[in-house]
Amino acid sequence: GREAGLELAALDAGDGPGEAAPSHSALGRFESVAAASAPSSLAGQDSEGDGDGERSSLGSRHHSPEGERGSARDGTFTRTGVFCLVRVLTATLICALESVHGLPVYLVVLIMGACSIVVDGLIDAAFVADTLRHMPWELFSFVTGFLVLAEAMSVTGISLALASVFLPLAHTKSVAYVSGFVTMLFCNLFETLPATLIVFKMIDSVPQWKPAAIAAAGVHGAGFRAARRAALSAVIFGSNFGANTACIGSLGGLMMRRLAAMQGVVVTNGMLLRQGIPVMIPTMFVACWVLVNWSEV
């Protein structure tokens, strides 16, 4: 090895400026020395390679359980995800069959949620703890507080006072414009669920739309009935379109804002208002126009 190095140094030195080119004999001696030293070097590499190969094999055997555990984790996650999806679909199906079993939707969801927590807790308590830790509890408190306020408005007569906005058009389906835009406004003040509850209370408070009043109206009862149906249908439009106007408009908007903040992205109500108002107001107007002019409503 040293001889090959000396020969190589001599060759390198011969390449310098002003130096003579290396002779063929020097090249021959270098090649012969390199060839002579190659077997022992290769043998050493081979012997070391065997060790490396053994260590590599041992390393692969050492890391394979971790890979298997990773695959198992992936499989467990997939099975858990499928299990959760099946439960959600089952709850949705049971809710859709409310007319068959007679259980209210909230009770079905409550039972499914409680059973899911118990089953998951028996399988993997850490999974349940992690899920509960990541729940948006602040949104739950937010919506619950507004629902309490909405019911208080109904009990104290505020909903009855607000229902006066429907009275001028209580006999015509054009009341859908009032109902839709009022719902849209309330969604951006109270969030969708409380806003919908408030507007429904307002509609129930209109004297002309009471079942007894409609029955006593005679030939005019059909007009009051159609107006009430149009007002109720407009609430559906208003709660969906109004939810796209500001962050507070729906739980989806609040969740989007929360998730964006976790990623360092700031989303404000002003940003959504500038984008939502020019789109949602014309959309709401067109939807109400179709509702008013649709003969089946």
Side-chain angles (χ1 to χ4, degrees), residues 12-249:
D12 291 337
D15 290 336
E19 299 289 341
S23 63
H24 292 288
S25 59
L27 289 172
R29 287 196 304 275
F30 172 74
E31 292 174 353
S32 62
V33 172
S37 61
S40 60
S41 175
L42 291 175
Q45 291 178 359
D46 186 55
S47 61
E48 292 176 0
D50 291 339
D52 290 340
E54 184 178 356
R55 285 193 297 271
S56 176
S57 176
L58 290 173
S60 64
R61 288 196 297 268
H62 174 72
H63 291 291
S64 59
E66 183 177 355
E68 291 174 0
R69 286 194 298 270
S71 300
R73 280 196 301 269
D74 293 341
T76 302
F77 173 79
T78 302
R79 290 194 296 270
T80 304
V82 171
F83 186 35
C84 292
L85 179 61
V86 169
R87 286 183 296 193
V88 171
L89 295 177
T90 302
T92 304
L93 178 61
I94 296 175
C95 291
L97 297 176
E98 180 183 4
S99 59
V100 177
H101 53 69
L103 294 176
V105 173
Y106 77 90
L107 185 59
V108 172
V109 176
L110 181 63
I111 293 174
M112 288 294 294
C115 293
S116 298
I117 291 177
V118 172
V119 172
D120 290 340
L122 294 176
I123 297 175
D124 188 356
F127 171 73
V128 175
D130 186 65
T131 301
L132 294 177
R133 185 169 57 252
H134 288 85
M135 284 284 293
W137 296 109
E138 67 277 10
L139 298 182
F140 176 79
S141 303
F142 172 83
V143 175
T144 303
F146 268 122
L147 288 174
V148 172
L149 293 176
E151 189 61 29
M153 292 175 65
S154 174
V155 173
T156 55
I158 297 178
S159 297
L160 178 60
L162 294 175
S164 60
V165 299
F166 297 134
L167 296 181
L169 299 174
H171 62 285
T172 174
K173 291 193 298 183
S174 297
V175 73
Y177 292 103
V178 179
S179 178
F181 280 101
V182 167
T183 306
M184 191 174 183
L185 175 62
F186 282 3
C187 283
N188 291 279
L189 296 177
F190 310 119
E191 202 272 325
T192 304
L193 294 178
T196 304
L197 179 61
I198 291 173
V199 179
F200 278 151
K201 296 288 186 180
M202 292 167 57
I203 293 175
D204 287 338
S205 300
V206 175
Q208 293 89 333
W209 291 344
K210 300 288 186 180
I214 293 176
V219 294
H220 300 290
F224 289 130
R225 185 180 298 105
R228 185 177 186 274
R229 292 182 59 188
L232 291 172
S233 300
V235 173
I236 300 174
F237 291 152
S239 61
N240 284 276
F241 298 149
N244 297 323
T245 308
C247 294
I248 198 175

